[in-house]
Amino acid sequence: MTKPAPRTAEAETPPPTTRTSTRTGRIRPRTRSALAMSAAALLTCCVGASADAAPPQTPAPALDASVSDVPIAKLGDSWHPGCPVPPSGLRLIRMNHWGFDGQVHQGELVAGEQAVDPLLYVFGRAFEAHFPIRQMRVMAEFDGDDVAAMAADNTSAFNCRSVTGDPTEVSQHSYGDAVDINTLENPYVDMNNVVYPPAGAVFLDRNRDDQGMIHPGDVISTAMREVGWQWGGRWSPPDYQHFSANGRAATASRAAGASADRGRAHAAWGQNTSR
C-alpha cells in the first residue's frame, strides 16, 4: 500500500492574514505595515512643521547692571587710609558696554554710593546709543596709576589720588563722584599744558569724529548734563575725558584758586555748586 506523502513545512506555515497567538503580543503583518506607514506620515508632518517654525529669538543686549559693596581686591592701591571716602561708602558697578569691536563686553567701575544712580543713567543711555567704550576696569588693576590707566584708554571713576600734573591738589576722583571716559580719544591737558596720554594729542583736534570721542550735544554730554554732572571739555586747559558731579577736577580747596576760564565754563553749564 502506498503511504501518504509527508506534509511539507510550507503547508504548516499560516497564511499572512492569519492571527497568531495573542499570548505573544505579536501583530498581524498587515496591521504592522499599516502602523509603519502611519508613523512615517506623522514623522513627515512633524518634521515639516518644525522646519517651518520661526527660529527662537536671541534676547536683545542689555546694560545688565549690578551694584554691590566693593571687595578689597577691587580697591587695591586705589584706596588707602586717609582717603575722604571709606570703602563702605563706595560701590562696585558691573555693567555691559559696547566695545570698539562692535561687541558687548562687561565692565567694572568703582564709584561713590551717591554717584551710582547718575552713572547708571548715563551709561544706560550710552549703551542704548551703542556709544563705544574701549574698556572699563577698576583702578586696582592699574595699581591706582592714573597715567597708566589713561595710556590704556581705560574708563574709570573712583581713585584716591592727587590731581595728575598737580600733586598739591586732591583729585575729585577721590570722592568717587567723577569719571573719565575713553581717555585716549578724550585727552586731558594739565596746568602746564602737558597732554595725557601723550598719544592722545592728535585728538585735541575736536573736529575729528572718531569713535569714542565726546562732543557737545552727543549722548554722553547730554546724559551727563541731564543728571547735573559737568564736563571738563569746556575748561581751559581742557579735560575732555572728565565729568564730575560738582564740575571740578579737584576738591574744594582748588576751587578757591580756580581760573576765571574754568569759572566761566561752569557758569555756562548753569551750575557752579560746591561740595
Side-chain angles (χ1 to χ4, degrees), residues 210-234:
D210 297 55
Q211 65 174 341
M213 291 181 70
I214 299 171
H215 294 289
D218 70 3
V219 64
I220 294 289
S221 61
T222 299
M224 286 290 186
R225 185 172 64 249
E226 289 171 349
V227 299
W229 286 36
Q230 300 173 37
W231 185 29
R234 293 180 177 268

Side-chain angles (χ1 to χ4, degrees), residues 146-199:
D146 185 47
V147 174
M150 284 190 284
D153 203 9
N154 189 57
T155 294
S156 64
F158 172 78
N159 191 16
C160 186
R161 59 174 175 82
S162 61
V163 172
T164 300
D166 186 1
T168 65
E169 298 293 344
V170 177
S171 170
Q172 195 64 42
H173 288 274
S174 303
Y175 289 89
D177 59 359
V179 64
D180 292 336
I181 300 174
N182 289 345
T183 52
L184 176 64
E185 293 76 18
N186 302 289
Y188 156 59
V189 183
D190 75 6
M191 58 188 299
N192 299 309
N193 289 318
V194 177
V195 179
Y196 296 90

Side-chain angles (χ1 to χ4, degrees), residues 193-266:
N193 289 318
V194 177
V195 179
Y196 296 90
V202 64
F203 294 104
L204 290 176
D205 176 6
R206 302 313 284 181
N207 290 318
R208 297 172 64 110
D209 194 25
D210 297 55
Q211 65 174 341
M213 291 181 70
I214 299 171
H215 294 289
D218 70 3
V219 64
I220 294 289
S221 61
T222 299
M224 286 290 186
R225 185 172 64 249
E226 289 171 349
V227 299
W229 286 36
Q230 300 173 37
W231 185 29
R234 293 180 177 268
W235 300 341
S236 179
D239 190 350
Y240 293 112
Q241 62 195 246
H242 180 91
F243 291 87
S244 60
N246 63 5
R248 297 178 183 146
T251 54
S253 62
R254 180 182 178 124
S259 69
D261 286 335
R262 290 198 177 189
R264 284 193 294 270
H266 298 163

Side-chain angles (χ1 to χ4, degrees), residues 9-34:
E10 181 179 357
E12 294 175 352
T13 303
T17 57
T18 302
R19 184 185 296 274
T20 59
S21 170
T22 57
R23 293 180 183 178
T24 64
R26 296 171 65 184
I27 305 173
R28 291 182 301 174
R30 282 186 181 177
T31 308
R32 183 186 300 115
S33 175

